[in-house]
Amino acid sequence: MRLTRNRISVAIGAIALLHSPTLLAESVSITNPSFESSSQFEGWVDVDPSSLSGVAYDGTKAVKISGSGGSVEQTVNLQADTTYTLSAFIKGAGTIGLRIGGQVYSQKVSGNSDWAELTVSANSGSQTQATVFAEYNGAEGRFDSFTMNSSASTPSAPPAETGSCDSPTQLTIASAKDDGTHDGHGPENAIDNNLTTESRWSSQGIGKQIVFDLQANATVTSLDVIWLKGDQRSSYFDVATSSDNTSWTPVLSGAGSSGAQSAYESYELTESQARYIRITGQGNSANNWNSIIEAKAFGCSDGSAPVDPVDPVDPVVPVEPSDPNLNPSLAPSGNFDLLDWTLSVPVDEDSDGKADTVKEQALSSGYTSNEFFYTASDGGMVFKAPISGAKTSSSTSYTRSELREMLRRGNTSYSTKGVGKNNWVFSSAPSSAQDQAGGVNGVLDANLAVNHVTTSGDSGQVGRVIVGQIHANDDEPVRLYYRKLPNNQLGSIYIAHEPRSGSEKYYEMIGSRSNSASNPSDGIALDERFSYQIKVVANTLTVTISRPDKADVVQTVDMSNSGYDDSSQYMYFKAGVYNQNKSGDGDDYVQATFYSLSNTHDGYNY
């Protein structure tokens, strides 16, 4: 760890007298705000892994924070009872914030492919110092051009006494609204007393808001909230109140849930008179989704003692497993038959220069990787692949955490390659090949959710991942892609068909594969479950995408001229995540969770 401390200078504008109608703005001069000093981290205390980067928003340098625990910070002097706004530009992921008198005010971003400004505001109260900081938030990030200014303000008359709410009770929330950009889980779900995970409000993006209407002014003192996946991740948010739905008063800033509680969590608010309560979501520790299962408000409607005291015992949120047959306490092979698969993971523990392969017997006997292949808390089978990592061969530049079909089911007397009992062929292949193969034609069915895609790197690679394939000797009859661009809320689905000669062809099924695609109106969000089926009969390839309450999306490809009905061509399915980004930050990653997976073939009886 390197420590460098320099004197912090603060330039204070002229301050008017106490009873003057206007307070002039104050500018806080941050030492070395763009990291351009020749003295490395002059003015900042930095904690590894942090370093200076030549990729900058302004000038020639920025600070890069590349791992857990990495941070930079410095202390500045403040004026008491003044509201300040800290601003910085961030590329990638990160957190900026202020620590004032034991309180932390922060804003986070999970990943920007280009530089974007992030701001956080806080009032100094009685404090005259603050710590400005930037720190790691799940992936590599770069920080540049810090500024900090006070808000010029005009003092108003002291607020009218609101009275003390000594015995809060639950207030009635009459309605809830948002801006309409939710994913189908609307705001009304957050106040319907239904504690199942499907009855929730979900909206993607930093700054998304839900507003609760009490229908009449009340003294508001606290909120209780059940967060989606509250025992798996921390949700970040701010709370404000208003009497007219126009002028808002902050009553809780820079807050975060515990990440360890699936029931209600309680948050004390600065007491205020209000009809409206607004929660502004700032994403969560896993992504930039904001999801509330249920919310309750507390206070006093008229200052009198409550008629019905609040039950202090939180209700237990019912656990809804994604599939009753999936047990989160088991390794993936305890929930899925994996004897006819091998697994590639992006590590090289045997130092042979390529990604390790977990063979059928080891995989089906409980293999788990805490980083790349494991069982989720809902029992799903998780695949994760960062940009940096071991590759399967010198001919590929991309990492994967991916299953490879092995019809031999651990019988090593059968070769992994060639037309034989380990692989399958099309029914359009010669009968001699069909007799030798382990199966004829094939169907791969999967139900899954893509949890994360890359947000850094070249525009042609960011956000894309392959989640299913048919691989032949050297080519790929089909690759199934999911792609979500950083500024879109929803992702697209498309496939690629690669004939043995000639150019491959792409087919867009949901949305567009364009590097500048707009948000697909019927797209698939991160963490949204969907199903795919890849089916081959003779020379006909059919890919189907299915979602609850929506029509199937089907793409058929005629492979008659693709060359796969040759007697030498053999096939195998692949499923998992095959990262299609090699240009982004090394620890940026793709991740998907599979809830069902089955492979069937004519003549294959397992």
Side-chain angles (χ1 to χ4, degrees):
M1 179 175 72
R2 301 178 300 275
L3 299 179
T4 304
R5 294 184 183 274
N6 282 48
R7 183 177 59 85
I8 309 300
S9 60
V10 181
I12 306 293
I15 305 296
L17 295 176
L18 179 63
H19 298 290
S20 174
T22 303
L23 295 178
L24 299 181
E26 172 189 353
S27 175
V28 178
S29 180
I30 298 175
T31 299
N32 195 18
S34 294
F35 305 93
E36 297 295 313
S37 172
S38 59
S39 301
Q40 287 279 342
F41 283 92
E42 180 185 2
W44 298 90
V45 176
D46 74 295
V47 178
D48 291 331
S50 61
S51 60
L52 294 181
S53 169
V55 178
Y57 170 77
D58 183 36
T60 61
K61 296 178 185 177
V63 65
K64 179 174 73 172
I65 300 177
S66 56
S68 179
S71 67
V72 294
E73 64 179 49
Q74 66 173 269
T75 301
V76 296
N77 295 324
L78 306 179
Q79 188 78 12
D81 298 316
T82 304
T83 298
Y84 291 88
T85 298
L86 174 70
S87 172
F89 284 83
I90 300 180
K91 182 177 182 179
T95 300
I96 66 167
L98 296 165
R99 291 194 285 269
I100 304 176
Q103 296 292 318
V104 178
Y105 307 89
S106 64
Q107 294 283 13
K108 302 170 182 266
V109 63
S110 59
N112 294 325
S113 60
D114 202 353
W115 291 99
E117 187 175 23
L118 196 62
T119 62
V120 59
S121 298
N123 190 278
S124 57
S126 62
Q127 302 298 312
T128 57
Q129 283 193 323
T131 299
V132 176
F133 69 88
E135 63 187 19
Y136 183 76
N137 180 36
E140 184 177 274
R142 290 171 171 81
F143 303 77
D144 202 358
S145 298
F146 282 78
T147 59
M148 186 172 173
N149 296 285
S150 70
S151 302
S153 61
T154 301
S156 57
E161 290 292 329
T162 60
S164 176
C165 182
D166 294 325
S167 302
T169 186
Q170 185 174 345
L171 303 171
T172 299
I173 300 177
S175 63
K177 295 183 179 180
D178 66 1
D179 64 0
T181 60
H182 55 77
D183 67 347
H185 298 91
E188 66 281 356
N189 293 337
I191 56 170
D192 63 358
N193 293 315
N194 183 341
L195 305 186
T196 61
T197 57
E198 276 304 304
S199 178
R200 68 178 189 269
W201 170 70
S202 287
S203 187
Q204 186 183 31
I206 303 300
K208 291 296 184 179
Q209 298 176 335
I210 183 170
V211 177
F212 303 109
D213 184 358
L214 306 177
Q215 284 199 324
N217 268 4
T219 303
V220 180
T221 61
S222 65
L223 277 177
D224 280 8
V225 180
I226 301 176
W227 301 94
L228 180 67
K229 299 184 178 180
D231 58 345
Q232 303 173 41
R233 64 193 189 189
S234 296
S235 294
Y236 309 117
F237 62 101
D238 305 303
V239 183
T241 58
S242 173
S243 293
D244 58 7
N245 205 20
T246 300
S247 299
W248 293 90
T249 300
V251 292
L252 182 63
S253 299
S257 66
S258 68
Q261 178 64 271
S262 61
Y264 282 105
E265 293 195 25
S266 297
Y267 305 98
E268 295 296 323
L269 308 178
T270 301
E271 190 172 302
S272 64
Q273 287 286 308
R275 170 178 170 175
Y276 301 94
I277 304 170
R278 184 181 70 193
I279 297 178
T280 300
Q282 307 294 351
N284 62 73
S285 55
N287 51 54
N288 62 355
W289 277 93
N290 310 287
S291 298
I292 293 174
I293 293 176
E294 198 73 14
K296 298 190 295 188
F298 295 88
C300 296
S301 58
D302 58 4
S304 62
V307 176
D308 298 310
V310 178
D311 184 351
V313 180
D314 286 333
V316 176
V317 181
V319 176
E320 284 195 317
S322 298
D323 186 315
N325 296 317
L326 298 181
N327 186 340
S329 66
L330 299 177
S333 61
N335 292 313
F336 298 84
D337 180 4
L338 299 179
L339 188 56
D340 51 3
W341 301 91
T342 58
L343 172 72
S344 176
V345 287
V347 295
D348 182 18
E349 294 184 353
D350 58 8
S351 301
D352 66 352
K354 59 183 180 180
D356 291 343
T357 297
V358 182
K359 300 296 180 63
E360 304 100 295
Q361 295 288 359
L363 182 60
S364 63
S365 297
Y367 172 84
T368 296
S369 164
N370 291 334
E371 287 188 274
F372 307 119
F373 180 73
Y374 55 91
T375 299
S377 60
D378 58 7
M381 178 167 52
V382 179
F383 299 83
K384 179 179 178 179
I387 290 176
S388 291
K391 284 79 173 177
T392 53
S393 69
S394 59
S395 62
T396 183
S397 302
Y398 302 105
T399 63
R400 68 184 87 204
S401 175
E402 188 180 41
L403 296 171
R404 190 273 200 206
E405 190 181 30
M406 303 287 279
L407 301 187
R408 69 183 188 177
R409 295 180 67 86
N411 185 346
T412 57
S413 65
Y414 297 118
S415 173
T416 59
K417 298 181 179 181
V419 177
K421 295 304 178 183
N422 190 56
N423 303 306
W424 54 279
V425 299
F426 295 176
S427 61
S428 52
S431 57
S432 58
Q434 297 183 47
D435 292 339
Q436 296 173 40
V440 177
N441 296 323
V443 179
L444 179 65
D445 284 296
N447 179 263
L448 70 153
V450 177
N451 312 119
H452 193 277
V453 294
T454 57
T455 57
S456 61
D458 294 346
S459 61
Q461 298 177 8
V462 66
R464 62 180 188 172
V465 57
I466 294 172
V467 293
Q469 298 185 63
I470 298 175
H471 204 293
N473 305 33
D474 302 304
D475 307 292
E476 294 148 343
V478 66
R479 301 190 303 274
L480 175 61
Y481 290 79
Y482 174 92
R483 189 179 196 191
K484 191 190 82 66
L485 298 181
N487 293 326
N488 289 346
Q489 296 178 350
L490 304 175
S492 301
I493 296 284
Y494 58 94
I495 63 171
H497 171 63
E498 182 181 27
R500 292 180 61 199
S501 61
S503 301
E504 62 185 7
K505 185 174 181 180
Y506 288 88
Y507 301 82
E508 295 176 339
M509 298 183 65
I510 297 174
S512 168
R513 60 182 284 262
S514 168
N515 300 337
S516 58
S518 58
N519 190 56
S521 59
D522 194 35
I524 298 176
L526 293 177
D527 295 324
E528 178 183 349
R529 284 178 60 172
F530 66 97
S531 297
Y532 70 71
Q533 182 184 84
I534 299 173
K535 181 178 181 180
V536 168
V537 176
N539 285 320
T540 300
L541 166 69
T542 305
V543 178
T544 304
I545 304 298
S546 302
R547 292 171 286 176
D549 303 321
K550 293 188 178 183
D552 288 352
V553 180
V554 182
Q555 179 66 57
T556 301
V557 178
D558 182 357
M559 300 186 293
S560 298
N561 297 316
S562 298
Y564 292 113
D565 50 10
D566 186 273
S567 61
S568 65
Q569 291 296 302
Y570 60 92
M571 313 293 154
Y572 50 92
F573 285 127
K574 305 190 81 174
V577 292
Y578 185 14
N579 197 337
Q580 293 297 285
N581 188 341
K582 61 181 179 180
S583 60
D585 297 333
D587 52 2
D588 203 354
Y589 66 97
V590 293
Q591 179 179 309
T593 303
F594 281 64
Y595 296 96
S596 66
L597 182 67
S598 66
N599 52 315
T600 58
H601 307 277
D602 297 338
Y604 179 63
N605 299 316
Y606 294 96

